[in-house]
């Protein structure tokens, strides 16, 4: 009898955290099945937390299967609907399952399995790592061990220039009216230049740690255009985020989620394994995490600018009145940039099950709302 766990349409991150705790505390099993009842991320941050559940399940079993009723017609990808930006095959949970040796099938139909090589060709080769053609979700995906840097980042000059080009292009699609108002002109005025610098540093850090483990890395933008009441409902299970949304001054919102996820070693694990980190062996985890987040401390001792990412993030989040969340290892931190007294990231109360990798998200209001 293979254990089957279900994540329902309405389950938010609180329910998924409970499932994470069960996966990390249980005795390893020979086979596990995780059924995602809805392929769409109905609540904020759900796509990232679904992937965290997949990673935890796969670490506690010898064989893993991900079921979803949203998958159809996998073998050929000839259906034009596959170009929809919400296609389940492009989500982090599905890509992670495939890249780490699991099986993805439509719920109840083992005959239609999703072949890894087809998805690699679609995402890495045909699209250069860019996934999502619509105006709701944009992703830069790197999960092919033979192509650790997306082809889209090997164009447009050096890495810094290429990254800015790609991110600005993604922002143009998810921000309402971005093309009309010329998004390039408002980058400095509303703090988004700092936001791009922050995302680039996180992306670069993910590459440094995740590539050695052959791990998945995804940069994602998601549009959330809806009434405030709807946004509050989709923040169920995360009171700190609900407080942030409740504080928005408009009744209709476009909250943009910009996230960077990698499934390599977490922040503490990566730092402690470095030459610099060995000098902090006697530091408790909480104390060291606080120092890594709020002071210029990095495992890269040769780069005088290394370790500035979170300092930049705090400044950027406050300028654009964004909400930042970080989940790594047993740690979960947030910053509400709409609060004028918010100067440091603070831990989410309670004890949290360990997660694989490092996962940052900034949720910020569309500039048109200002």
């Amino acid at each position: 009898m293979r254990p089957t766990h279900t994540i329902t349409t309405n389950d938010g991150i609180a329910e998924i955290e409970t499932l994470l705790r069960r996966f990390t505390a249980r005795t390893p099993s020979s086979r596990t099945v995780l059924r995602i009842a809805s392929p769409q991320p109905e609540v904020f941050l759900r796509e990232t937390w679904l992937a965290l559940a997949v990673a935890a399940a796969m670490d506690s079993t010898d064989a893993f299967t991900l079921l979803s009723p949203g998958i159809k017609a996998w073998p050929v990808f000839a259906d034009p609907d596959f170009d929809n930006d919400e296609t389940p095959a492009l989500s982090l949970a599905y890509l992670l399952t495939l890249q780490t040796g699991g099986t993805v099938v439509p719920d109840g139909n083992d005959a239609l399995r999703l072949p890894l090589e087809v998805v690699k060709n679609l995402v890495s080769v045909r699209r250069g790592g860019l996934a999502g053609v619509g105006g709701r979700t944009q992703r830069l995906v790197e999960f092919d061990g033979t192509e650790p840097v997306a082809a889209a980042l090997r164009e447009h000059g050096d890495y810094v220039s290429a990254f800015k080009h790609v991110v600005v292009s993604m922002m143009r699609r998810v921000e309402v009216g971005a093309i009309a108002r010329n998004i390039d002109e408002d980058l400095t005025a509303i703090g988004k230049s700092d936001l791009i610098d922050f995302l680039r540093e996180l992306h670069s850090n993910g590459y440094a740690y995740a590539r050695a483990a052959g791990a998945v890395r995804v940069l994602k933008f998601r549009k959330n255009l809806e009434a405030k009441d709807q946004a509050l409902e989709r923040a169920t299970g995360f009171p700190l985020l609900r407080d942030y949304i409740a504080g928005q001054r408009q009744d209709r919102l476009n909250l943009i989620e910009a996230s960077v996820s990698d499934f390599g070693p977490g922040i503490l694990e990566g730092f402690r394994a470095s030459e610099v980190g060995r000098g902090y062996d006697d530091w408790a985890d909480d104390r060291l995490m606080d120092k890594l987040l709020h002071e210029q401390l990095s495992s890269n001792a040769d780069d005088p600018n290394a370790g500035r990412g979170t300092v930049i993030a705090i400044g950027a989040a406050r300028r654009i009145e964004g909400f930042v969340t970080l989940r790594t290892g047993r740690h979960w931190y947030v910053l509400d940039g709409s609060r004028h007294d918010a100067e440091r990231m603070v831990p989410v109360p309670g004890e949290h099950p360990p997660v694989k990798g490092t996962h940052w998200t900034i949720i910020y209001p569309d500039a048109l709302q200002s």
Side-chain angles (χ1 to χ4, degrees):
M1 180 78 179
R2 57 185 185 180
T4 299
H5 305 270
T6 298
I7 297 177
T8 70
T9 302
N10 295 322
D11 283 346
I13 59 176
E15 289 79 13
I16 299 176
E17 281 279 319
T18 299
L19 185 59
L20 282 171
R21 188 171 287 105
R22 289 167 56 190
F23 282 145
T24 56
R26 73 175 184 171
T27 302
S29 64
S30 59
R31 180 155 188 181
T32 297
V33 177
L34 178 62
R35 182 179 186 273
I36 298 177
S38 170
Q40 308 298 341
E42 300 293 346
V43 299
F44 282 100
L45 305 172
R46 188 172 190 258
E47 182 179 337
T48 297
W49 258 255
L50 288 176
L52 296 181
V54 166
M58 296 190 77
D59 282 346
S60 65
T61 190
D62 295 328
F64 177 74
T65 300
L66 183 65
L67 302 181
S68 173
I71 298 177
K72 61 179 180 179
W74 286 124
V76 294
F77 293 108
D79 189 337
D81 287 344
F82 187 76
D83 281 336
N84 185 285
D85 60 359
E86 291 299 312
T87 299
L90 304 182
S91 74
L92 190 49
Y94 298 90
L95 294 175
L96 179 65
T97 300
L98 292 173
Q99 193 263 2
T100 49
T103 301
V104 180
V105 298
D107 194 0
N109 189 346
D110 285 353
L112 294 177
R113 293 173 179 264
L114 177 58
L116 174 60
E117 291 306 316
V118 174
V119 179
K120 282 185 178 180
N121 180 68
L122 175 74
V123 177
S124 300
V125 179
R126 286 172 51 190
R127 297 186 175 181
L130 294 173
V133 298
R136 187 174 186 184
T137 303
Q138 294 289 309
R139 298 180 180 91
L140 178 67
V141 178
E142 290 158 306
F143 77 119
D144 186 344
T146 63
E147 297 286 344
V149 176
L153 294 178
R154 300 196 297 270
E155 303 171 358
H156 309 289
D158 60 278
Y159 169 75
V160 173
S161 299
F163 188 88
K164 179 179 178 182
H165 176 86
V166 168
V167 169
V168 169
S169 177
M170 296 167 80
M171 292 167 69
R172 281 178 181 270
R173 289 184 174 273
V174 298
E175 293 190 356
V176 176
I179 295 177
R181 72 169 183 265
N182 190 351
I183 193 172
D184 298 291
E185 293 181 357
D186 72 20
L187 287 176
T188 302
I190 60 177
K192 289 183 183 174
S193 179
D194 284 343
L195 173 63
I196 292 174
D197 288 343
F198 169 57
L199 293 173
R200 186 181 67 246
E201 175 149 338
L202 298 183
H203 186 267
S204 178
N205 288 346
Y207 172 71
Y209 291 116
R211 65 172 175 167
V216 175
R217 180 176 50 160
V218 173
L219 166 67
K220 185 189 75 172
F221 282 84
R222 177 178 169 83
K223 174 192 296 180
N224 297 279
L225 182 60
E226 59 198 345
K228 182 191 286 188
D229 288 347
Q230 293 174 302
L232 286 169
E233 185 176 348
R234 294 199 307 110
T236 299
F238 197 173
L240 296 172
L241 178 57
R242 282 181 59 86
D243 290 345
Y244 169 77
I245 294 172
Q248 298 296 306
R249 294 180 291 274
Q250 292 76 23
D251 291 329
R252 185 160 182 81
L253 308 173
N254 183 21
L255 294 176
I256 308 296
E257 292 179 65
S259 62
V260 177
S261 281
D262 76 73
F263 287 84
I267 291 178
L268 273 179
E269 183 181 350
F271 180 76
R272 288 195 183 279
S274 69
E275 183 176 351
V276 175
R278 285 190 284 273
Y280 293 84
D281 285 346
D282 58 341
W283 282 48
D285 285 351
D286 290 348
R287 181 188 178 199
L288 183 54
M289 270 298 297
D290 188 75
K291 186 174 180 67
L292 286 166
L293 290 176
H294 300 110
E295 300 180 28
Q296 191 172 340
L297 178 63
S298 169
S299 58
N300 188 359
D302 296 329
D303 184 355
N305 294 314
R308 296 181 61 240
T310 53
V311 176
I312 292 173
I314 290 173
R318 295 182 68 187
R319 273 188 289 279
I320 63 177
E321 296 189 355
F323 181 90
V324 182
T325 174
L326 163 66
R327 191 72 167 88
T328 181
R330 294 184 179 276
H331 293 88
W332 189 358
Y333 283 84
V334 297
L335 171 77
D336 184 344
S338 67
R339 295 174 55 94
H340 298 298
D341 59 348
E343 298 181 353
R344 300 171 70 86
M345 298 194 73
V346 297
V348 175
E351 295 186 3
H352 311 293
V355 298
K356 189 172 186 177
T358 302
H359 310 273
W360 291 87
T361 300
I362 299 182
I363 299 174
Y364 64 93
D366 191 320
L368 278 185
Q369 298 173 192
S370 300

